[in-house]
Amino acid sequence: MATLVKLLVTSLLLSSQMLKASDLVFNTYIDPPYVSQGDEGVTGISIDILKLLRQHSQLNIELHLLPLKRAYAVALDSANQCVFAIERTQSRESSFIWISPMFISRYAIYQRKLHAKHLASLDDLTKLRIGSYSGSGVGEYLTSFSITVDLAKTNLNSAKKLTRHRTGAWASDILSAAYIAQQFDLDISPKKYHFYSALRAIACNKNSDLGVLDKLQKSLNQLQKSGQIGQVLSKYEQQYQVDLGL
Amino acid sequence: MRIILLFLCCFINASWAEDYSPWLKEFRPSSLSQQQQIEELAWFKQAAKPFQGITIRAISERINTHWYEATVIAPLFYQLTGIKVIHELSSEDDVVKKLQSQMDLGINYYDIYVSDSDLIGGHFRSNKVLSLSEFMREQGKQVTLPSLDVNDFIGLAFTTSPYNEILQLPDQQFANLYWYRQDWFARPELQQQFKAIYGYPLAVPVNWSAYEDIAEFFSKHVKQIDGHKVYGHMDYGKRDPSLGWRISDAWLSMAGMGDVGLPNGLPVDEWGIRRHGCRPVGASVKRGGALDSPAAIYAIQKYVDWLVRYAPPEAQKMTFSEAGAEIAKGHIAQQIFWYTAFTADLSHPDLSITDDNGKPLWRVAPSPRGAYWQPGMKSGYQDVGAWTLLKSTPLKRQQAAWLYAQFNVAKTVSLRKTMVGLTPIRESDIMSPEFTQRSEELGGLVEFYQSNARNEWTPTGLNVPNYPALSALWWQYIGRASDQKEDVSKIMQELAKSMDAALAKISHETRGACSPKLISSQDEALWLAHPGSPKPKLENEKPPGKTLAYSELIKQWQP
């Protein structure tokens, strides 16, 4: 028992020292191509932007990979903890201090290759059962228009539900959809109906060091204005043959 | 045979090209004759030729009018012109954030915005918003509808810079008016009971004292009508961005915090910001502003007290959109101000606030005024959502987007859109027989827009130099009073101090002839003794309640 207590105390001390060493902890979640984990470690659009931010701000930012719900909860509860890159919505606005925008995500509706319906407006979506995934925010958006939404655990699962005829359409951001199309052989039409965009941002705990957050926001602005973040996005647009229309 | 088929195919295509029936069928009524509509449609088709195949992105807030645009007008525009429009609908807060991000960073997130004219003070100072006057004269001349008739727009004064340049083209307008259950107010037993308690008739309140009495009457004395619990007031108090609009839109202007002047008080407006020339110079009383003045404290204290005492208990934790649905449930007697954009939502025949024929049991009237209000001040808030182009958008995309904007407000389309969304923008629509005929079913909306009173209900004006940066302060501070019950006077002092600090920050970031420049701080007593706003505390903030019969009040709105 004494050994266990000693271990626990050591671990707590270690983690508190690690936290002291870093200015901020950025919690993120697997969401390819924004965040992927593989042989090269953690990579993706969000990670490329994080590297630029670290370099420009000279802040010590620690990266933690967690499930989305956990990453969100940690940022909500603990000082100097942030979650990224999440949608900045009105309902979330008062819960965090926002470092914004990292980038914009464009959302579209996808259908199966055979018997795809012509979609001309949001009104046409009210006739479909649309798949999304928990925590994406877009499901909530569609539901607010009285559109039937089916939530899966991940975006990939939602795409698979479409191919298994469990939903009539799939709502996804276009980069994620292009990644899934490239990685998995799914019977989904590349034709899409664009309907929404969301600013993706870094959401930080409200008790975080305001000086540090101010420095971070200034760095993000500089990186946006200098076009360096635009270059990151262009690289992925080319890789996945997607046009963000910027 | 092949030649005949080819000929037939071309003939059919040519006929289709001249067949405007899908548009003429949808866009009726119109203030134009059918021939004039065809001429406008033909003009759009011709003007759009260089832009065929292009896709543009537009964004607006979520109200019925914009749903109609996104789901009906945008597809018909595409069919006519070949310009595809992704018309996104989002929360107002999101629209503002995206617009501001695009202005700050120069990244073309959208080709055109429907931005509230409340941002005009920032738009004219930023030099990032395209002057539509200049665009129509020069680079946009070929894509400007000859029959646009800008003088027909009733809200143009709100979207024009102090240099007389049109910066935004109005797309929809709605006002904040007093809303009440006329059927309940007309019940003889309730009229007798009210007169016995308060000593004057139960009718439309002219001042806040009467509003407060009526709120108390229904919540504390009447309590139930036809077996159902009722309340004398409805509002919302959750610490959320939407709370800020409630206060900055109208509370402080109705209370009478600012100065006399239309469209906004001068030199102190309804945000409590003092302006010298075109420069904002401070919001705190120490700097000649009024945000922590007795009138502001009175206004916010009333807001909190009424919310706690007379609204349904759950209202304290509600947001704008959650609270909006409440009055349709039929348990609210009155609301001090209510956004007329939701008129269509309260006119469904199956609601308990309409009669068996679908006619409203409610009415709208001028909002009651607070103890500090004086004649010549604005009477309430009007929202003017207006098409806004940014200089950072590439020219070709600006031109295509401008065509879409004009299509949404062209006389061919405008009256039909007004009949659907009830957010009128054109004099020709407002005075049309079709709109006039709907008077009985719209509870006073038609009378309001046909009168000159519409000029006294105004948006945020030129004193506010950066709406997105400053508006975030409102909900963060006022929410502490409504949601967390902190002391109002202390909160208003902190809010005024933060507003001053934010103005100072803007003055460092945007240097220009009209950018803010704080004046030095002085003894508050000096400013309070100065004529106009900030005004000293009134000895009696609750004068006798005064009401007027609806038929008398509505006369003020008759043309």
Side-chain angles (χ1 to χ4, degrees):
Chain A
M1 183 64 183
T3 320
L4 190 65
V5 170
K6 200 175 167 184
L7 260 174
L8 194 66
V9 170
T10 316
S11 138
L12 279 171
L13 276 173
L14 267 175
S15 58
S16 97
Q17 277 166 0
M18 277 169 68
L19 203 61
K20 269 186 182 169
S22 58
D23 297 302
L24 289 169
V25 177
F26 273 26
N27 300 284
T28 192
Y29 52 98
I30 298 292
D31 179 23
Y34 299 101
V35 180
S36 308
Q37 196 174 25
D39 297 341
E40 295 169 10
V42 185
T43 56
I45 301 170
S46 297
I47 305 303
D48 288 354
I49 297 173
L50 170 62
K51 284 177 187 165
L52 289 172
L53 274 172
R54 274 178 175 150
Q55 197 178 21
H56 190 277
S57 67
Q58 294 294 301
L59 289 169
N60 188 355
I61 302 169
E62 198 178 312
L63 179 69
H64 286 182
L65 203 54
L66 297 169
L68 171 58
K69 271 190 181 173
R70 179 83 190 118
Y72 191 91
V74 169
L76 207 55
D77 292 342
S78 310
N80 301 317
Q81 297 270 352
C82 308
V83 54
F84 82 114
I86 64 167
E87 282 179 36
R88 186 174 186 179
T89 63
Q90 191 169 312
S91 59
R92 288 171 171 170
E93 185 66 24
S94 61
S95 304
F96 299 101
I97 295 174
W98 294 88
I99 310 301
S100 172
M102 278 182 84
F103 49 83
I104 197 161
S105 283
R106 305 293 198 191
Y107 288 89
I109 299 292
Y110 297 85
Q111 299 180 79
R112 288 180 292 274
K113 279 180 185 157
L114 285 178
H115 311 300
K117 291 185 171 67
H118 173 68
L119 302 176
S121 81
L122 273 175
D123 202 26
D124 295 331
L125 306 188
T126 55
K127 297 155 201 150
L128 295 167
R129 182 181 178 83
I130 296 176
S132 179
Y133 71 100
S134 304
S136 78
V138 79
E140 226 174 277
Y141 174 80
L142 291 167
T143 307
S144 70
F145 287 107
S146 304
I147 293 167
T148 310
V149 174
D150 180 296
L151 291 180
K153 276 191 178 171
T154 66
N155 203 23
L156 176 60
N157 285 353
S158 187
K160 285 179 178 170
K161 275 187 164 183
L162 172 66
T163 61
R164 289 171 192 151
H165 293 250
R166 288 172 61 190
T167 55
W170 169 44
S172 172
D173 89 83
I174 60 173
L175 268 165
S176 301
Y179 169 86
I180 288 170
Q182 206 174 80
Q183 298 292 318
F184 304 90
D185 184 23
L186 298 177
D187 183 32
I188 293 175
S189 168
K191 275 188 186 172
K192 50 189 175 286
Y193 166 70
H194 286 267
F195 69 99
Y196 182 60
S197 307
L199 291 179
R200 303 275 290 265
I202 305 161
C204 295
N205 183 273
K206 291 200 283 191
N207 296 318
S208 303
D209 184 327
L210 292 179
V212 168
L213 296 187
D214 190 46
K215 198 172 179 184
L216 193 65
Q217 182 66 65
K218 281 180 178 151
S219 281
L220 184 63
N221 289 352
Q222 287 299 316
L223 291 166
Q224 293 280 19
K225 285 179 186 171
S226 68
Q228 285 170 274
I229 291 178
Q231 284 168 14
V232 170
L233 293 171
S234 294
K235 187 178 86 180
Y236 286 91
E237 279 182 288
Q238 282 173 22
Q239 185 178 339
Y240 294 105
Q241 299 291 298
V242 156
D243 180 10
L244 292 172
L246 298 173
Chain B
M1 183 63 180
R2 190 175 286 177
I3 291 167
I4 294 169
L5 278 176
L6 194 66
F7 170 78
L8 272 175
C9 161
C10 294
F11 177 76
I12 289 164
N13 274 341
S15 305
W16 176 246
E18 302 305 322
D19 178 10
Y20 294 106
S21 56
W23 295 271
L24 296 173
K25 189 179 164 197
E26 176 58 37
F27 299 132
R28 64 183 184 197
S30 165
S31 58
L32 297 183
S33 68
Q34 197 171 88
Q35 183 54 39
Q36 287 170 320
Q37 279 187 296
I38 289 170
E39 282 165 20
E40 275 200 347
L41 291 165
W43 180 88
F44 275 107
K45 193 179 175 74
Q46 182 64 28
K49 278 189 175 162
F51 308 99
Q52 279 187 4
I54 199 171
T55 298
I56 56 161
R57 275 186 194 268
I59 185 168
S60 63
E61 68 173 309
R62 294 176 54 166
I63 58 171
N64 292 340
T65 297
H66 296 311
W67 173 264
Y68 180 69
E69 289 170 348
T71 59
V72 177
I73 298 180
L76 283 171
F77 178 73
Y78 175 50
Q79 281 180 43
L80 180 71
T81 64
I83 299 172
K84 195 168 185 177
V85 183
I86 303 167
H87 186 140
E88 295 184 17
L89 303 178
S90 196
S91 68
E92 175 61 18
D93 185 57
D94 187 51
V95 176
V96 170
K97 285 201 164 63
K98 284 169 173 165
L99 174 70
Q100 191 61 36
S101 297
Q102 183 160 338
M103 286 171 74
D104 289 344
L105 306 173
I107 301 169
N108 198 50
Y109 293 135
Y110 294 88
D111 299 305
I112 196 161
Y113 289 80
V114 180
S115 159
D116 282 355
S117 75
D118 302 297
L119 279 75
I120 189 80
H123 288 344
F124 93 84
R125 288 178 176 93
S126 73
N127 200 28
K128 289 175 180 172
V129 173
L130 199 69
S131 159
L132 294 178
S133 300
E134 191 182 319
F135 186 69
M136 287 188 280
R137 282 193 304 266
E138 294 170 15
Q139 289 178 307
K141 193 175 178 182
Q142 297 302 316
V143 286
T144 296
L145 178 66
S147 51
L148 184 60
D149 191 7
V150 289
N151 294 325
D152 191 39
F153 287 83
I154 59 167
L156 215 59
F158 307 135
T159 60
T160 301
S161 80
Y163 308 119
N164 213 24
E165 293 281 304
I166 300 169
L167 296 182
Q168 304 172 274
L169 185 67
D171 180 70
Q172 46 83 4
Q173 288 184 219
F174 55 91
N176 268 348
L177 300 174
Y178 172 73
W179 181 97
Y180 77 107
R181 286 290 299 271
Q182 195 188 40
D183 57 330
W184 292 357
F185 278 44
R187 290 189 180 197
E189 73 278 15
L190 294 181
Q191 287 188 339
Q192 279 170 19
Q193 194 184 353
F194 185 87
K195 183 86 186 279
I197 298 171
Y198 299 99
Y200 59 95
L202 172 61
V204 179
V206 174
N207 57 16
W208 280 19
S209 303
Y211 183 85
E212 190 171 61
D213 289 345
I214 296 168
E216 182 189 69
F217 175 67
F218 279 100
S219 291
K220 305 292 181 191
H221 297 284
V222 178
K223 292 181 191 169
Q224 286 201 342
I225 290 180
D226 303 334
H228 298 286
K229 176 85 182 140
V230 299
Y231 295 91
H233 174 62
M234 181 59 205
D235 215 317
Y236 59 91
K238 189 179 176 184
R239 198 162 174 254
D240 168 271
S242 62
L243 177 59
W245 313 328
R246 190 85 180 148
I247 307 303
S248 64
D249 280 357
W251 264 101
L252 300 173
S253 66
M254 290 192 314
M257 177 194 68
D259 271 311
V260 166
L262 287 171
N264 306 89
L266 201 65
V268 179
D269 72 350
E270 71 275 18
W271 279 50
I273 296 175
R274 173 172 288 270
R275 176 153 65 96
H276 284 174
C278 64
R279 281 190 192 278
V281 296
S284 63
V285 173
K286 286 177 181 170
R287 291 190 163 86
L291 199 44
D292 51 351
S293 67
I297 294 164
Y298 153 83
I300 302 304
Q301 192 64 60
K302 288 289 180 199
Y303 156 71
V304 174
D305 290 347
W306 295 347
L307 178 66
V308 173
R309 289 178 196 160
Y310 308 128
E314 57 274 20
Q316 293 173 48
K317 297 288 178 191
M318 279 184 180
T319 63
F320 168 72
S321 46
E322 289 162 346
E326 284 298 297
I327 55 175
K329 291 179 184 170
H331 62 319
I332 306 296
Q334 59 167 0
Q335 188 162 310
I336 189 162
F337 66 83
W338 170 75
Y339 294 89
T340 61
F342 304 118
T343 303
D345 296 333
L346 294 196
S347 304
H348 292 298
D350 51 347
L351 292 175
S352 60
I353 53 170
T354 52
D355 69 13
D356 295 340
N357 300 315
K359 297 284 189 309
L361 297 171
W362 51 268
R363 292 289 182 275
V364 289
S367 291
R369 286 129 180 193
Y372 291 84
W373 192 90
Q374 295 162 301
M377 296 178 70
K378 65 184 279 183
S379 296
Y381 171 77
Q382 189 165 188
D383 183 293
V384 183
W387 293 103
T388 310
L389 286 164
L390 298 185
K391 289 181 179 175
S392 58
T393 299
L395 177 62
K396 194 169 179 185
R397 307 188 70 80
Q398 285 174 343
Q399 290 169 326
W402 178 236
L403 282 171
Y404 177 59
Q406 293 174 97
F407 191 70
N408 277 281
V409 299
K411 285 181 181 171
T412 291
V413 173
S414 178
L415 180 53
R416 168 64 179 155
K417 192 176 85 174
T418 298
M419 300 294 267
V420 173
L422 302 173
T423 54
I425 49 166
R426 282 186 177 275
E427 180 83 21
S428 55
D429 295 337
I430 289 164
M431 302 313 287
S432 68
E434 291 84 354
F435 189 63
T436 307
Q437 278 162 16
R438 292 188 67 183
S439 160
E440 208 184 327
E441 63 177 286
L442 299 179
L445 182 79
V446 172
E447 290 79 357
F448 172 76
Y449 271 106
Q450 289 187 341
S451 76
N452 288 329
R454 68 183 188 224
N455 301 320
E456 293 168 27
W457 271 255
T458 66
T460 297
L462 300 170
N463 289 27
V464 180
N466 185 330
Y467 187 96
L470 299 177
S471 62
L473 295 173
W474 288 103
W475 64 268
Q476 293 186 27
Y477 283 91
I478 304 296
R480 284 169 46 194
S482 61
D483 210 359
Q484 293 155 20
K485 309 293 172 290
E486 289 187 42
D487 176 65
V488 169
S489 165
K490 180 174 163 274
I491 284 171
M492 296 312 282
Q493 281 169 10
E494 289 180 28
L495 173 58
K497 203 173 162 187
S498 294
M499 195 70 83
D500 280 351
L503 288 171
K505 192 171 177 232
I506 295 165
S507 75
H508 290 303
E509 289 168 355
T510 51
R511 294 192 183 276
C514 292
S515 65
K517 191 174 184 181
L518 290 187
I519 54 173
S520 55
S521 155
Q522 288 192 56
D523 186 351
E524 287 188 0
L526 289 173
W527 277 112
L528 291 171
H530 191 269
S533 182
K535 301 165 189 173
K537 187 171 170 61
L538 291 173
E539 275 184 29
N540 178 14
E541 289 180 333
K542 190 167 181 184
K546 190 180 172 193
T547 54
L548 261 181
Y550 180 74
S551 56
E552 287 301 309
L553 264 176
I554 209 79
K555 279 182 189 164
Q556 295 172 16
W557 283 358
Q558 280 166 358

Coordinates of all heavy atoms in Angstrom, one line a residue, chain A residues 184-230:
Chain A
F184 N -10.5 4.5 -47.9 CA -11.4 3.3 -47.8 C -12.2 3.3 -49.2 O -12.6 4.3 -49.7 CB -12.4 3.5 -46.7 CG -11.7 3.7 -45.4 CD1 -11.3 4.9 -44.9 CD2 -11.3 2.6 -44.6 CE1 -10.7 5.1 -43.7 CE2 -10.7 2.7 -43.4 CZ -10.3 4.0 -42.9
D185 N -12.5 2.1 -49.5 CA -13.2 1.9 -50.8 C -14.7 1.8 -50.5 O -15.3 0.7 -50.3 CB -12.7 0.5 -51.5 CG -13.4 0.4 -52.8 OD1 -13.8 1.4 -53.4 OD2 -13.5 -0.8 -53.3
L186 N -15.3 3.0 -50.4 CA -16.7 3.1 -50.0 C -17.5 3.5 -51.2 O -17.1 4.3 -52.0 CB -16.9 4.0 -48.9 CG -16.2 3.7 -47.5 CD1 -16.5 4.8 -46.5 CD2 -16.7 2.4 -47.0
D187 N -18.7 3.0 -51.3 CA -19.6 3.3 -52.4 C -20.3 4.7 -52.2 O -21.5 4.8 -52.1 CB -20.6 2.2 -52.5 CG -21.5 2.3 -53.7 OD1 -21.0 2.8 -54.7 OD2 -22.7 2.0 -53.6
I188 N -19.5 5.7 -52.2 CA -20.1 7.1 -52.0 C -19.8 8.0 -53.2 O -18.6 8.0 -53.7 CB -19.5 7.7 -50.7 CG1 -20.0 6.9 -49.5 CG2 -19.9 9.2 -50.5 CD1 -19.4 7.3 -48.2
S189 N -20.8 8.7 -53.6 CA -20.6 9.6 -54.8 C -19.7 10.8 -54.4 O -19.9 11.4 -53.3 CB -22.0 10.1 -55.2 OG -21.8 11.1 -56.2
P190 N -18.8 11.1 -55.3 CA -18.0 12.3 -55.0 C -18.8 13.6 -55.2 O -18.4 14.7 -54.7 CB -16.9 12.3 -56.1 CG -17.4 11.4 -57.2 CD -18.4 10.5 -56.6
K191 N -20.0 13.6 -55.8 CA -20.8 14.8 -55.9 C -21.3 15.2 -54.6 O -21.7 14.3 -53.8 CB -22.0 14.5 -56.8 CG -21.7 14.6 -58.3 CD -23.0 14.5 -59.0 CE -22.8 14.5 -60.5 NZ -24.0 14.2 -61.3
K192 N -21.3 16.4 -54.3 CA -21.7 16.8 -52.9 C -22.5 18.1 -53.0 O -22.4 18.9 -53.9 CB -20.4 17.1 -52.1 CG -19.4 18.0 -52.7 CD -18.1 17.9 -51.8 CE -17.0 18.7 -52.4 NZ -16.3 18.0 -53.6
Y193 N -23.3 18.3 -51.9 CA -24.1 19.5 -51.8 C -23.5 20.3 -50.6 O -23.6 19.9 -49.4 CB -25.6 19.2 -51.6 CG -26.4 20.3 -51.1 CD1 -26.6 21.4 -51.9 CD2 -26.8 20.4 -49.8 CE1 -27.3 22.5 -51.5 CE2 -27.5 21.5 -49.3 CZ -27.8 22.6 -50.2 OH -28.4 23.7 -49.7
H194 N -22.9 21.5 -50.9 CA -22.4 22.3 -49.8 C -23.5 23.0 -49.0 O -24.4 23.6 -49.7 CB -21.5 23.4 -50.4 CG -20.2 22.9 -50.9 ND1 -19.0 22.9 -50.2 CD2 -19.8 22.3 -52.1 CE1 -18.0 22.3 -50.8 NE2 -18.5 22.0 -52.0
F195 N -23.3 23.1 -47.7 CA -24.4 23.8 -47.0 C -24.0 24.6 -45.8 O -24.7 25.4 -45.3 CB -25.5 22.7 -46.5 CG -25.0 21.8 -45.4 CD1 -25.3 22.0 -44.1 CD2 -24.2 20.7 -45.8 CE1 -24.8 21.2 -43.1 CE2 -23.7 19.8 -44.8 CZ -24.0 20.1 -43.4
Y196 N -22.7 24.4 -45.3 CA -22.4 25.1 -44.1 C -20.8 25.2 -44.0 O -20.1 24.4 -44.5 CB -22.9 24.2 -42.9 CG -22.7 24.8 -41.5 CD1 -23.1 26.0 -41.2 CD2 -22.0 24.1 -40.6 CE1 -22.9 26.5 -39.9 CE2 -21.7 24.5 -39.3 CZ -22.2 25.8 -39.0 OH -22.0 26.3 -37.7
S197 N -20.4 26.2 -43.2 CA -18.9 26.3 -42.9 C -18.8 26.6 -41.4 O -19.7 27.2 -40.8 CB -18.3 27.5 -43.7 OG -18.5 27.3 -45.1
A198 N -17.7 26.2 -40.9 CA -17.5 26.4 -39.4 C -16.1 26.9 -39.2 O -15.2 26.3 -39.7 CB -17.8 25.2 -38.6
L199 N -16.0 27.9 -38.4 CA -14.7 28.4 -37.9 C -14.2 27.3 -36.9 O -14.9 27.0 -36.0 CB -14.7 29.7 -37.3 CG -15.0 30.9 -38.2 CD1 -15.0 32.2 -37.4 CD2 -14.0 31.0 -39.3
R200 N -12.9 26.8 -37.1 CA -12.4 25.9 -36.1 C -11.3 26.7 -35.3 O -10.5 27.5 -35.9 CB -11.8 24.7 -36.9 CG -12.7 24.0 -37.8 CD -13.6 22.9 -37.0 NE -12.8 21.8 -36.6 CZ -12.6 20.7 -37.3 NH1 -13.3 20.5 -38.4 NH2 -11.9 19.7 -36.8
A201 N -11.3 26.4 -34.0 CA -10.5 27.3 -33.2 C -9.9 26.5 -32.0 O -10.2 25.3 -31.8 CB -11.4 28.4 -32.6
I202 N -9.1 27.2 -31.2 CA -8.5 26.6 -30.0 C -9.3 27.2 -28.9 O -9.4 28.4 -28.7 CB -7.0 27.0 -29.9 CG1 -6.2 26.7 -31.1 CG2 -6.4 26.4 -28.6 CD1 -4.9 27.4 -31.3
A203 N -9.9 26.3 -28.1 CA -10.8 26.7 -26.9 C -10.0 26.4 -25.7 O -9.6 25.3 -25.4 CB -12.1 25.9 -27.0
C204 N -9.7 27.5 -24.9 CA -8.9 27.3 -23.7 C -9.7 27.6 -22.4 O -10.7 28.4 -22.5 CB -7.7 28.3 -23.7 SG -6.6 27.9 -25.1
N205 N -9.3 27.0 -21.4 CA -10.0 27.2 -20.1 C -10.0 28.6 -19.7 O -9.0 29.4 -19.9 CB -9.3 26.3 -19.0 CG -10.0 26.4 -17.7 OD1 -9.7 27.3 -16.9 ND2 -10.9 25.5 -17.4
K206 N -11.1 29.1 -19.1 CA -11.3 30.5 -18.8 C -10.4 31.0 -17.7 O -10.2 32.2 -17.5 CB -12.8 30.7 -18.4 CG -13.7 30.6 -19.5 CD -15.0 31.3 -19.3 CE -15.9 30.5 -18.4 NZ -17.3 31.0 -18.4
N207 N -9.8 30.1 -16.9 CA -8.8 30.5 -15.9 C -7.4 30.4 -16.3 O -6.4 30.4 -15.5 CB -9.0 29.7 -14.6 CG -10.4 29.9 -14.0 OD1 -10.9 31.0 -13.9 ND2 -11.0 28.8 -13.6
S208 N -7.2 30.4 -17.6 CA -5.8 30.3 -18.1 C -5.1 31.6 -18.1 O -5.7 32.7 -17.9 CB -5.8 29.8 -19.6 OG -6.5 28.6 -19.7
D209 N -3.8 31.6 -18.2 CA -2.9 32.8 -18.2 C -3.3 33.7 -19.4 O -3.0 33.3 -20.5 CB -1.5 32.3 -18.2 CG -0.5 33.5 -18.0 OD1 -0.9 34.6 -18.5 OD2 0.6 33.3 -17.5
L210 N -3.9 34.8 -19.1 CA -4.4 35.7 -20.2 C -3.2 36.3 -21.0 O -3.4 36.4 -22.2 CB -5.2 36.9 -19.6 CG -6.5 36.5 -19.0 CD1 -7.3 37.7 -18.4 CD2 -7.4 35.7 -20.0
G211 N -2.1 36.5 -20.4 CA -0.9 37.0 -21.1 C -0.4 36.0 -22.2 O -0.1 36.3 -23.3
V212 N -0.4 34.7 -21.7 CA 0.0 33.6 -22.6 C -1.0 33.5 -23.8 O -0.6 33.4 -25.0 CB 0.1 32.3 -21.9 CG1 0.2 31.1 -22.8 CG2 1.2 32.3 -20.9
L213 N -2.3 33.6 -23.5 CA -3.3 33.4 -24.5 C -3.3 34.6 -25.5 O -3.5 34.4 -26.7 CB -4.7 33.3 -23.9 CG -5.0 32.1 -23.0 CD1 -6.5 32.0 -22.6 CD2 -4.6 30.8 -23.8
D214 N -3.0 35.8 -25.0 CA -2.9 37.0 -25.9 C -1.7 36.8 -26.8 O -1.8 37.1 -28.0 CB -2.7 38.2 -25.0 CG -2.8 39.5 -25.8 OD1 -3.8 39.6 -26.6 OD2 -1.9 40.4 -25.6
K215 N -0.6 36.3 -26.3 CA 0.6 36.0 -27.2 C 0.2 35.0 -28.3 O 0.6 35.1 -29.4 CB 1.7 35.5 -26.3 CG 3.1 35.6 -26.9 CD 4.1 35.2 -25.8 CE 5.5 35.3 -26.4 NZ 6.5 34.8 -25.5
L216 N -0.5 34.0 -27.9 CA -0.9 32.9 -28.8 C -1.8 33.5 -29.9 O -1.6 33.2 -31.1 CB -1.6 31.8 -28.0 CG -1.9 30.5 -28.7 CD1 -0.6 29.8 -29.0 CD2 -2.8 29.6 -27.9
Q217 N -2.8 34.3 -29.5 CA -3.7 34.9 -30.5 C -2.9 35.8 -31.5 O -3.2 35.8 -32.7 CB -4.8 35.7 -29.8 CG -5.8 36.3 -30.7 CD -6.7 35.3 -31.5 OE1 -7.5 34.6 -30.9 NE2 -6.5 35.3 -32.8
K218 N -2.0 36.6 -30.9 CA -1.2 37.4 -31.8 C -0.4 36.6 -32.8 O -0.3 37.0 -34.0 CB -0.3 38.3 -31.0 CG -1.0 39.5 -30.4 CD -0.2 40.4 -29.6 CE -1.0 41.6 -29.1 NZ -0.5 42.1 -27.8
S219 N 0.2 35.5 -32.4 CA 0.9 34.6 -33.3 C 0.0 34.0 -34.3 O 0.4 34.0 -35.5 CB 1.6 33.5 -32.5 OG 2.7 33.9 -31.8
L220 N -1.2 33.6 -33.9 CA -2.1 33.0 -34.9 C -2.4 34.1 -35.9 O -2.4 33.7 -37.1 CB -3.3 32.5 -34.2 CG -4.4 31.8 -35.0 CD1 -3.8 30.5 -35.6 CD2 -5.6 31.4 -34.2
N221 N -2.7 35.3 -35.5 CA -3.1 36.3 -36.5 C -1.9 36.6 -37.5 O -2.1 36.7 -38.7 CB -3.3 37.7 -35.7 CG -4.6 37.6 -35.0 OD1 -5.4 36.7 -35.1 ND2 -4.9 38.6 -34.2
Q222 N -0.7 36.6 -36.9 CA 0.5 36.8 -37.8 C 0.6 35.7 -38.8 O 0.9 36.0 -40.0 CB 1.7 36.9 -37.0 CG 1.9 38.2 -36.2 CD 1.9 39.4 -37.1 OE1 2.6 39.4 -38.1 NE2 1.2 40.5 -36.8
L223 N 0.4 34.5 -38.3 CA 0.6 33.3 -39.2 C -0.5 33.3 -40.3 O -0.3 32.9 -41.4 CB 0.5 32.0 -38.4 CG 1.8 31.8 -37.5 CD1 1.5 30.7 -36.5 CD2 3.0 31.5 -38.4
Q224 N -1.7 33.8 -40.0 CA -2.8 33.9 -40.9 C -2.4 35.0 -42.0 O -2.5 34.7 -43.2 CB -4.1 34.2 -40.3 CG -4.7 33.2 -39.3 CD -5.4 32.0 -40.1 OE1 -5.2 31.9 -41.3 NE2 -6.2 31.3 -39.3
K225 N -2.0 36.1 -41.5 CA -1.8 37.3 -42.4 C -0.6 37.0 -43.3 O -0.6 37.5 -44.4 CB -1.6 38.6 -41.6 CG -2.9 39.1 -41.0 CD -2.6 40.4 -40.2 CE -3.8 40.9 -39.5 NZ -3.5 41.9 -38.5
S226 N 0.4 36.3 -42.8 CA 1.6 36.0 -43.6 C 1.3 35.0 -44.6 O 2.2 34.7 -45.5 CB 2.8 35.6 -42.7 OG 2.5 34.4 -42.1
G227 N 0.2 34.3 -44.5 CA -0.1 33.2 -45.5 C 0.4 31.9 -45.2 O 0.2 30.9 -45.9
Q228 N 1.1 31.7 -44.0 CA 1.7 30.4 -43.7 C 0.7 29.4 -43.4 O 0.8 28.2 -43.8 CB 2.7 30.6 -42.5 CG 4.0 31.3 -42.9 CD 4.8 31.6 -41.7 OE1 4.6 32.7 -41.1 NE2 5.7 30.7 -41.3
I229 N -0.4 29.8 -42.7 CA -1.5 28.8 -42.5 C -2.2 28.5 -43.8 O -2.5 27.3 -44.1 CB -2.5 29.3 -41.4 CG1 -1.7 29.3 -40.1 CG2 -3.7 28.5 -41.3 CD1 -2.5 29.8 -38.9
G230 N -2.3 29.5 -44.7 CA -2.9 29.2 -46.0 C -2.1 28.2 -46.8 O -2.7 27.4 -47.5

